[in-house]
Amino acid sequence: MSAGRPAASGDGSARAPFAELSDAVQAALAGNADSAEFQLAAGIYNFPSDVAWDTRSLSFTGVGIDDTSLRLTDGFGPQAEVRARALAIASASEVLTVGGAAWFLDNVAVRDLRLAFEAVAVELLGLRVEAGGVTVRGGTAVGRELDFDDAFLRMESVTD
């Protein structure tokens, strides 16, 4: 368990947060809300690979790119928007391909990872890529305040 995360899972409230992202995802899937928002404390969070997400939008907010990591599995791509803010995207794979409707990254880091988006729309704001790269295939793309350190940005069949 990483520092800042509770030892036991609660009910998702501010006073008793979930200890594992899988608990929060299961609670969100059981609900009827149009979106699911996840506030992540410092730590490394594995998005459950066996979850078939529906059309509700997802929002992940960490405490900072050096403190919070969200580990995704290859092929993750809900058919709704995904927002990530103030965290690092990680994977067990060297190359990670994600898809879906729309991805909005704000103050996000990608380290030692080649991340490929195959989505309808991708917006990159304050993206930092270190020793890896980002590829956007198809759809529309917007980028501002991008920082690449020994990394690449590749656009394939993208309109802006």
Side-chain angles (χ1 to χ4, degrees), residues 106-120:
D106 181 9
N107 190 24
V108 169
V110 175
R111 296 184 181 100
D112 300 318
L113 176 65
R114 289 181 295 177
L115 177 61
F117 291 100
E118 294 178 351
V120 175

Side-chain angles (χ1 to χ4, degrees), residues 19-109:
E20 298 297 330
L21 184 55
S22 59
D23 295 337
V25 168
Q26 292 305 321
L29 287 171
N32 294 324
D34 292 336
S35 63
E37 296 184 20
F38 304 97
Q39 301 290 323
L40 307 175
I44 299 171
Y45 295 85
N46 296 307
F47 194 89
S49 61
D50 59 346
V51 171
W53 199 260
D54 55 27
T55 59
R56 288 178 277 185
S57 63
L58 302 171
S59 178
F60 302 95
T61 302
V63 295
I65 62 174
D66 294 322
D67 301 312
T68 306
S69 290
L70 178 62
R71 291 174 58 104
L72 300 175
T73 56
D74 202 45
F76 176 71
Q79 295 307 308
E81 68 181 37
V82 178
R83 295 184 176 274
R85 185 172 190 283
L87 53 79
I89 293 179
S91 176
S93 305
E94 180 181 332
V95 178
L96 174 66
T97 301
V98 294
W103 284 81
F104 300 95
L105 277 60
D106 181 9
N107 190 24
V108 169

